[in-house]
Coordinates of all heavy atoms in Angstrom, one line a residue:
M18 N 0.8 -1.2 0.0 CA 0.0 0.0 0.0 C 0.9 1.2 0.0 O 1.9 1.3 0.7 CB -0.9 0.0 1.2 CG -1.9 1.1 1.3 SD -3.1 0.6 2.4 CE -3.7 2.1 3.0
F19 N 0.6 2.2 -0.9 CA 1.3 3.4 -1.0 C 0.7 4.5 -0.1 O -0.5 4.6 0.0 CB 1.3 3.9 -2.4 CG 2.1 2.9 -3.3 CD1 1.4 2.1 -4.2 CD2 3.5 2.9 -3.4 CE1 2.1 1.2 -5.0 CE2 4.2 2.1 -4.2 CZ 3.5 1.2 -5.0
T20 N 1.7 5.3 0.5 CA 1.2 6.4 1.2 C 1.6 7.7 0.5 O 2.8 7.8 0.1 CB 1.9 6.4 2.6 OG1 1.6 5.2 3.3 CG2 1.5 7.6 3.5
L21 N 0.7 8.6 0.2 CA 1.0 9.8 -0.4 C 1.7 10.7 0.5 O 1.4 10.8 1.7 CB -0.2 10.5 -1.0 CG -1.0 9.7 -2.1 CD1 -2.2 10.5 -2.4 CD2 -0.1 9.5 -3.3
R22 N 2.7 11.4 0.0 CA 3.5 12.3 0.9 C 3.0 13.8 0.7 O 2.5 14.1 -0.4 CB 5.0 12.3 0.4 CG 5.6 10.9 0.5 CD 5.8 10.5 1.9 NE 6.4 9.2 2.0 CZ 6.2 8.3 2.9 NH1 5.3 8.5 3.8 NH2 6.8 7.1 2.9
T23 N 3.1 14.5 1.7 CA 2.7 15.9 1.6 C 3.8 16.7 1.0 O 4.9 16.3 0.9 CB 2.4 16.5 3.0 OG1 3.6 16.6 3.8 CG2 1.3 15.7 3.8
E24 N 3.4 17.9 0.5 CA 4.4 18.8 -0.1 C 5.6 19.1 0.8 O 6.7 19.1 0.4 CB 3.7 20.1 -0.6 CG 4.7 21.0 -1.3 CD 4.0 22.3 -1.8 OE1 2.7 22.3 -1.9 OE2 4.7 23.2 -2.2
S25 N 5.2 19.3 2.1 CA 6.3 19.7 3.1 C 7.2 18.5 3.3 O 8.4 18.6 3.5 CB 5.7 20.1 4.4 OG 4.9 19.2 5.0
Q26 N 6.7 17.2 3.3 CA 7.5 16.0 3.4 C 8.5 15.9 2.2 O 9.6 15.6 2.4 CB 6.7 14.8 3.5 CG 5.9 14.6 4.9 CD 5.0 13.5 4.8 OE1 4.2 13.2 3.9 NE2 5.0 12.7 6.0
I27 N 8.0 16.2 1.1 CA 8.8 16.1 -0.1 C 9.9 17.2 -0.1 O 11.0 16.9 -0.4 CB 7.9 16.2 -1.4 CG1 7.0 15.1 -1.5 CG2 8.8 16.4 -2.7 CD1 5.9 15.2 -2.6
K28 N 9.5 18.4 0.3 CA 10.5 19.4 0.4 C 11.6 19.1 1.5 O 12.8 19.4 1.2 CB 9.9 20.8 0.7 CG 9.1 21.4 -0.4 CD 8.5 22.7 -0.1 CE 7.7 23.2 -1.3 NZ 7.1 24.5 -1.0
R29 N 11.2 18.5 2.6 CA 12.2 18.1 3.6 C 13.1 17.1 3.0 O 14.3 17.2 3.2 CB 11.5 17.6 4.8 CG 11.0 18.7 5.8 CD 10.7 18.1 7.2 NE 9.7 17.1 7.2 CZ 8.3 17.2 7.2 NH1 7.9 18.5 7.3 NH2 7.5 16.2 7.2
K30 N 12.6 16.1 2.3 CA 13.4 15.1 1.7 C 14.4 15.7 0.7 O 15.6 15.3 0.6 CB 12.6 14.0 1.1 CG 13.4 12.8 0.6 CD 14.1 12.1 1.7 CE 14.8 10.9 1.2 NZ 15.5 10.2 2.3
Q31 N 13.9 16.6 -0.1 CA 14.7 17.3 -1.1 C 15.8 18.1 -0.4 O 17.0 18.0 -0.9 CB 13.8 18.2 -1.9 CG 14.4 18.7 -3.2 CD 13.4 19.6 -4.0 OE1 12.6 20.3 -3.4 NE2 13.4 19.5 -5.3
N32 N 15.5 18.7 0.7 CA 16.6 19.5 1.4 C 17.6 18.5 2.0 O 18.8 18.8 2.0 CB 16.0 20.4 2.5 CG 15.3 21.6 1.9 OD1 15.6 22.0 0.8 ND2 14.3 22.1 2.6
E33 N 17.1 17.4 2.5 CA 18.0 16.4 3.1 C 19.0 15.8 2.0 O 20.2 15.7 2.2 CB 17.2 15.2 3.7 CG 18.0 14.1 4.1 CD 17.1 12.9 4.5 OE1 16.0 13.1 5.0 OE2 17.6 11.8 4.3
L34 N 18.4 15.6 0.8 CA 19.3 15.1 -0.3 C 20.3 16.2 -0.8 O 21.4 15.9 -1.1 CB 18.4 14.6 -1.5 CG 17.5 13.4 -1.2 CD1 16.6 13.1 -2.4 CD2 18.4 12.2 -0.9
R35 N 19.9 17.4 -0.8 CA 20.8 18.5 -1.2 C 21.9 18.6 -0.1 O 23.1 18.9 -0.5 CB 20.0 19.8 -1.3 CG 19.2 19.9 -2.5 CD 18.6 21.3 -2.7 NE 17.9 21.3 -4.0 CZ 16.7 21.8 -4.1 NH1 16.0 22.2 -3.1 NH2 16.1 21.8 -5.3
Q36 N 21.6 18.4 1.2 CA 22.7 18.5 2.2 C 23.6 17.3 2.0 O 24.8 17.5 2.0 CB 22.1 18.4 3.6 CG 21.4 19.7 4.0 CD 20.7 19.6 5.3 OE1 20.5 18.5 5.9 NE2 20.2 20.7 5.9
Q37 N 23.1 16.1 1.7 CA 23.9 15.0 1.4 C 24.8 15.3 0.2 O 26.0 14.9 0.1 CB 23.1 13.7 1.1 CG 22.4 13.2 2.3 CD 21.6 12.0 2.0 OE1 21.7 11.3 0.9 NE2 20.6 11.7 2.9
Q38 N 24.2 15.9 -0.8 CA 25.0 16.2 -2.1 C 26.1 17.2 -1.8 O 27.2 17.0 -2.3 CB 24.0 16.8 -3.1 CG 24.7 16.9 -4.5 CD 23.7 17.4 -5.5 OE1 22.9 18.3 -5.2 NE2 23.8 16.9 -6.7
Q39 N 25.9 18.2 -0.9 CA 26.9 19.1 -0.5 C 28.1 18.4 0.2 O 29.3 18.7 -0.1 CB 26.4 20.3 0.3 CG 25.5 21.3 -0.4 CD 26.3 21.9 -1.6 OE1 27.4 22.3 -1.4 NE2 25.6 22.0 -2.7
T40 N 27.7 17.5 1.1 CA 28.8 16.7 1.8 C 29.5 15.9 0.8 O 30.8 15.8 0.8 CB 28.1 15.8 2.8 OG1 27.4 16.6 3.8 CG2 29.1 15.0 3.6
L41 N 28.8 15.3 -0.2 CA 29.5 14.4 -1.2 C 30.4 15.3 -2.1 O 31.5 14.8 -2.4 CB 28.4 13.8 -2.0 CG 28.7 12.6 -2.9 CD1 29.2 11.5 -2.0 CD2 27.5 12.2 -3.7
I42 N 30.0 16.4 -2.4 CA 30.8 17.3 -3.2 C 32.1 17.7 -2.5 O 33.2 17.7 -3.1 CB 30.0 18.6 -3.7 CG1 29.0 18.2 -4.7 CG2 31.0 19.7 -4.3 CD1 28.0 19.2 -5.1
T43 N 32.0 18.0 -1.2 CA 33.2 18.3 -0.4 C 34.1 17.1 -0.4 O 35.3 17.3 -0.6 CB 32.7 18.7 1.0 OG1 31.9 19.8 1.0 CG2 33.9 19.0 1.9
R44 N 33.6 15.9 -0.2 CA 34.4 14.7 -0.2 C 35.0 14.5 -1.5 O 36.2 14.0 -1.6 CB 33.5 13.5 0.2 CG 33.1 13.4 1.7 CD 32.2 12.3 2.0 NE 32.7 11.0 1.6 CZ 32.0 9.9 1.3 NH1 30.7 10.0 1.4 NH2 32.6 8.8 0.9
L45 N 34.3 14.8 -2.6 CA 34.8 14.6 -3.9 C 36.0 15.6 -4.2 O 37.0 15.2 -4.7 CB 33.7 14.9 -5.0 CG 34.0 14.8 -6.4 CD1 34.4 13.4 -6.8 CD2 32.8 15.2 -7.3
E46 N 35.9 16.8 -3.7 CA 36.9 17.8 -3.9 C 38.2 17.4 -3.1 O 39.3 17.7 -3.5 CB 36.4 19.2 -3.4 CG 35.4 19.8 -4.3 CD 34.7 21.0 -3.8 OE1 34.9 21.3 -2.6 OE2 34.0 21.7 -4.5
Q47 N 38.0 16.7 -2.0 CA 39.1 16.3 -1.1 C 39.7 14.9 -1.5 O 40.8 14.6 -1.0 CB 38.7 16.3 0.3 CG 38.3 17.7 0.9 CD 37.7 17.6 2.2 OE1 37.4 16.6 2.8 NE2 37.4 18.8 2.8
S48 N 39.0 14.2 -2.4 CA 39.4 12.9 -2.7 C 40.7 12.9 -3.6 O 40.8 13.7 -4.5 CB 38.3 12.2 -3.5 OG 38.8 10.9 -3.9
E49 N 41.6 12.1 -3.2 CA 42.9 12.0 -4.0 C 42.9 10.8 -4.9 O 43.7 10.8 -5.9 CB 44.1 12.0 -3.0 CG 44.2 13.2 -2.2 CD 45.3 13.2 -1.2 OE1 46.2 12.3 -1.3 OE2 45.3 14.1 -0.3
S50 N 42.1 9.8 -4.6 CA 42.1 8.5 -5.4 C 41.2 8.7 -6.6 O 40.0 9.1 -6.4 CB 41.7 7.4 -4.5 OG 41.3 6.3 -5.3
N51 N 41.6 8.3 -7.7 CA 40.7 8.3 -8.9 C 39.5 7.4 -8.8 O 38.4 7.7 -9.2 CB 41.5 8.0 -10.2 CG 42.3 9.2 -10.7 OD1 42.0 10.3 -10.4 ND2 43.3 8.9 -11.5
E52 N 39.8 6.2 -8.2 CA 38.7 5.2 -7.9 C 37.7 5.8 -7.0 O 36.5 5.7 -7.3 CB 39.4 4.0 -7.4 CG 38.4 2.8 -7.3 CD 39.1 1.5 -6.8 OE1 40.0 1.1 -7.4 OE2 38.6 1.0 -5.8
A53 N 38.1 6.4 -5.9 CA 37.2 7.0 -5.0 C 36.4 8.2 -5.6 O 35.2 8.3 -5.4 CB 37.9 7.5 -3.7
R54 N 37.1 8.9 -6.4 CA 36.5 10.1 -7.1 C 35.4 9.6 -8.0 O 34.3 10.2 -8.1 CB 37.6 10.9 -7.9 CG 37.1 12.2 -8.3 CD 38.2 13.1 -8.9 NE 39.2 13.4 -7.9 CZ 40.5 13.1 -8.0 NH1 40.9 12.4 -9.0 NH2 41.3 13.5 -7.0
E55 N 35.6 8.5 -8.8 CA 34.6 8.0 -9.7 C 33.4 7.5 -8.9 O 32.3 7.7 -9.4 CB 35.2 6.9 -10.6 CG 36.2 7.4 -11.6 CD 35.5 8.4 -12.6 OE1 34.4 8.2 -13.1 OE2 36.2 9.5 -12.8
A56 N 33.7 6.8 -7.8 CA 32.5 6.3 -7.0 C 31.7 7.5 -6.5 O 30.5 7.4 -6.5 CB 33.1 5.4 -5.9
L57 N 32.4 8.5 -6.0 CA 31.7 9.7 -5.5 C 30.9 10.4 -6.6 O 29.8 10.9 -6.4 CB 32.7 10.6 -4.8 CG 33.3 10.2 -3.5 CD1 34.4 11.0 -3.1 CD2 32.2 10.0 -2.4
K58 N 31.5 10.5 -7.8 CA 30.7 11.1 -8.9 C 29.5 10.3 -9.2 O 28.4 10.9 -9.5 CB 31.6 11.1 -10.2 CG 32.7 12.2 -10.1 CD 33.5 12.2 -11.4 CE 34.6 13.3 -11.3 NZ 35.4 13.2 -12.6
D59 N 29.6 9.0 -9.2 CA 28.4 8.1 -9.4 C 27.3 8.4 -8.4 O 26.1 8.5 -8.7 CB 28.8 6.7 -9.5 CG 29.6 6.3 -10.7 OD1 29.6 7.0 -11.7 OD2 30.2 5.2 -10.7
Q60 N 27.7 8.5 -7.1 CA 26.8 8.7 -6.1 C 26.1 10.1 -6.2 O 24.9 10.3 -6.0 CB 27.5 8.7 -4.7 CG 27.9 7.3 -4.3 CD 28.6 7.3 -2.9 OE1 28.5 8.3 -2.1 NE2 29.3 6.3 -2.6
N61 N 27.0 11.1 -6.7 CA 26.4 12.4 -6.9 C 25.4 12.5 -8.0 O 24.4 13.1 -7.9 CB 27.6 13.4 -7.2 CG 27.1 14.8 -7.2 OD1 26.3 15.3 -6.4 ND2 27.6 15.6 -8.2
E62 N 25.7 11.7 -9.0 CA 24.7 11.6 -10.1 C 23.4 11.0 -9.7 O 22.3 11.5 -10.0 CB 25.2 10.7 -11.3 CG 26.0 11.5 -12.3 CD 26.4 10.7 -13.5 OE1 25.5 10.0 -14.0 OE2 27.5 10.7 -13.9
R63 N 23.4 10.0 -8.9 CA 22.2 9.3 -8.3 C 21.5 10.3 -7.4 O 20.2 10.4 -7.5 CB 22.5 8.0 -7.6 CG 22.9 6.9 -8.6 CD 23.0 5.6 -7.9 NE 23.9 5.5 -6.8 CZ 25.2 5.2 -7.0 NH1 25.7 5.0 -8.2 NH2 26.0 5.1 -5.9
L64 N 22.2 11.0 -6.6 CA 21.5 12.0 -5.7 C 20.9 13.1 -6.6 O 19.8 13.5 -6.3 CB 22.5 12.7 -4.8 CG 22.8 12.0 -3.5 CD1 23.9 12.7 -2.7 CD2 21.5 11.9 -2.6
A65 N 21.6 13.6 -7.6 CA 21.0 14.6 -8.5 C 19.7 14.1 -9.2 O 18.8 14.9 -9.2 CB 22.0 15.0 -9.5
D66 N 19.7 12.9 -9.6 CA 18.5 12.3 -10.2 C 17.4 12.2 -9.2 O 16.2 12.6 -9.5 CB 18.8 10.9 -10.7 CG 19.7 10.8 -11.9 OD1 19.9 11.9 -12.6 OD2 20.2 9.8 -12.3
R67 N 17.6 11.9 -8.0 CA 16.6 11.8 -6.9 C 16.1 13.2 -6.6 O 14.9 13.4 -6.5 CB 17.1 11.2 -5.7 CG 17.4 9.7 -5.8 CD 18.1 9.1 -4.7 NE 17.1 9.0 -3.5 CZ 17.4 8.7 -2.3 NH1 18.7 8.4 -2.0 NH2 16.5 8.7 -1.3
I68 N 17.0 14.2 -6.6 CA 16.5 15.6 -6.3 C 15.7 16.1 -7.5 O 14.6 16.7 -7.3 CB 17.8 16.5 -6.1 CG1 18.5 16.1 -4.8 CG2 17.4 18.0 -6.2 CD1 19.8 16.7 -4.6
D69 N 16.1 15.8 -8.7 CA 15.3 16.2 -9.9 C 13.9 15.5 -9.9 O 12.9 16.2 -10.2 CB 16.0 15.8 -11.2 CG 17.3 16.7 -11.4 OD1 17.4 17.7 -10.8 OD2 18.1 16.3 -12.3
L70 N 13.9 14.3 -9.5 CA 12.6 13.6 -9.5 C 11.7 14.2 -8.4 O 10.5 14.5 -8.7 CB 12.8 12.1 -9.1 CG 11.5 11.3 -9.0 CD1 10.8 11.3 -10.4 CD2 11.9 9.8 -8.6
L71 N 12.2 14.6 -7.3 CA 11.3 15.2 -6.3 C 10.9 16.6 -6.8 O 9.8 17.1 -6.5 CB 12.1 15.4 -5.0 CG 12.3 14.0 -4.2 CD1 13.2 14.3 -3.0 CD2 11.0 13.4 -3.9
E72 N 11.8 17.3 -7.5 CA 11.4 18.6 -8.1 C 10.3 18.4 -9.1 O 9.3 19.2 -9.1 CB 12.6 19.2 -8.8 CG 12.4 20.6 -9.3 CD 12.3 21.6 -8.2 OE1 12.9 21.5 -7.1 OE2 11.6 22.6 -8.4
W73 N 10.3 17.4 -9.9 CA 9.3 17.1 -10.8 C 8.0 16.8 -10.1 O 6.9 17.3 -10.5 CB 9.7 15.9 -11.7 CG 8.6 15.6 -12.7 CD1 8.5 16.2 -14.0 CD2 7.5 14.7 -12.6 NE1 7.4 15.6 -14.6 CE2 6.8 14.7 -13.8 CE3 7.1 13.9 -11.6 CZ2 5.6 14.0 -14.0 CZ3 5.9 13.1 -11.8 CH2 5.2 13.1 -13.0
V74 N 8.0 16.1 -9.0 CA 6.8 15.7 -8.2 C 6.2 17.0 -7.7 O 5.0 17.2 -7.7 CB 7.2 14.8 -7.1 CG1 6.0 14.7 -6.1 CG2 7.5 13.4 -7.6
L75 N 7.1 17.9 -7.2 CA 6.5 19.2 -6.7 C 5.9 20.1 -7.7 O 5.0 20.8 -7.5 CB 7.6 20.0 -5.9 CG 8.1 19.4 -4.6 CD1 9.3 20.2 -4.1 CD2 7.0 19.4 -3.6
N76 N 6.5 20.0 -8.9 CA 6.1 20.9 -10.0 C 5.6 20.0 -11.2 O 6.0 20.2 -12.3 CB 7.2 21.8 -10.5 CG 7.7 22.7 -9.4 OD1 7.0 23.3 -8.7 ND2 9.0 22.6 -9.1
E77 N 4.7 19.1 -10.9 CA 4.2 18.2 -11.9 C 3.7 18.9 -13.1 O 2.9 19.9 -13.0 CB 3.1 17.3 -11.3 CG 2.6 16.3 -12.2 CD 1.5 15.4 -11.6 OE1 1.3 15.5 -10.3 OE2 0.9 14.6 -12.3
P78 N 4.2 18.5 -14.3 CA 3.8 19.2 -15.5 C 2.3 19.0 -15.8 O 1.7 18.0 -15.4 CB 4.6 18.5 -16.6 CG 5.4 17.4 -16.0 CD 5.1 17.4 -14.5
L79 N 1.7 20.0 -16.5 CA 0.3 19.9 -16.8 C 0.2 19.3 -18.2 O 1.1 19.4 -19.0 CB -0.3 21.3 -16.8 CG -0.2 22.0 -15.4 CD1 -0.8 23.4 -15.5 CD2 -1.0 21.2 -14.4
G80 N -1.0 18.8 -18.6 CA -1.2 18.3 -19.9 C -0.8 16.9 -20.1 O -0.5 16.2 -19.1
S81 N -0.9 16.4 -21.3 CA -0.7 15.0 -21.6 C 0.6 14.9 -22.4 O 0.9 15.7 -23.2 CB -1.8 14.5 -22.4 OG -1.5 13.2 -22.9
Y82 N 1.3 13.8 -22.0 CA 2.6 13.6 -22.7 C 2.4 13.3 -24.2 O 3.2 13.6 -25.1 CB 3.3 12.4 -22.0 CG 4.6 11.9 -22.7 CD1 5.7 12.6 -22.5 CD2 4.6 10.8 -23.5 CE1 6.9 12.2 -23.1 CE2 5.8 10.4 -24.1 CZ 6.9 11.1 -23.9 OH 8.1 10.7 -24.4
H83 N 1.2 12.6 -24.5 CA 0.9 12.2 -25.8 C 0.1 13.1 -26.6 O -0.4 12.8 -27.7 CB 0.3 10.8 -25.8 CG 1.1 9.8 -25.2 ND1 2.2 9.2 -25.8 CD2 1.1 9.2 -24.0 CE1 2.8 8.3 -25.0 NE2 2.1 8.3 -23.9
A84 N -0.1 14.3 -26.1 CA -1.0 15.3 -26.8 C -0.4 15.9 -28.0 O 0.7 16.0 -28.2 CB -1.5 16.3 -25.8

């Protein structure tokens, strides 16, 4: 069973993910290993995708995709 989230819950999650992303970016800047840097970049991409998805949920487009 799915539970719908309120706008404020979505915004809180979005802010939480942005904070995680800032921490990740700091770690990325301080990383000396190429392997670690690549892993952090991948994590950053996934976080960015999640943030974008929440942004879309908050600003759901109007109309039909197939119109």
Side-chain angles (χ1 to χ4, degrees):
M18 185 162 156
F19 293 102
T20 304
L21 295 178
R22 304 289 181 214
T23 65
E24 183 176 345
S25 62
Q26 288 174 317
I27 294 170
K28 286 180 179 181
R29 278 196 303 273
K30 185 63 174 182
Q31 194 176 36
N32 288 332
E33 175 187 324
L34 293 175
R35 284 187 176 131
Q36 288 174 348
Q37 289 178 20
Q38 189 176 39
Q39 288 302 316
T40 301
L41 197 61
I42 289 170
T43 301
R44 288 177 52 205
L45 182 61
E46 291 170 349
Q47 296 172 351
S48 177
E49 296 179 14
S50 161
N51 281 340
E52 188 176 302
R54 193 174 292 120
E55 287 303 314
L57 291 170
K58 284 181 183 179
D59 289 343
Q60 288 178 20
N61 187 41
E62 270 188 49
R63 285 192 300 275
L64 272 175
D66 288 345
R67 291 175 69 190
I68 292 167
D69 289 345
L70 180 60
L71 291 175
E72 185 69 31
W73 182 87
V74 168
L75 288 174
N76 301 307
E77 185 176 349
L79 301 175
S81 173
Y82 178 77
H83 298 287

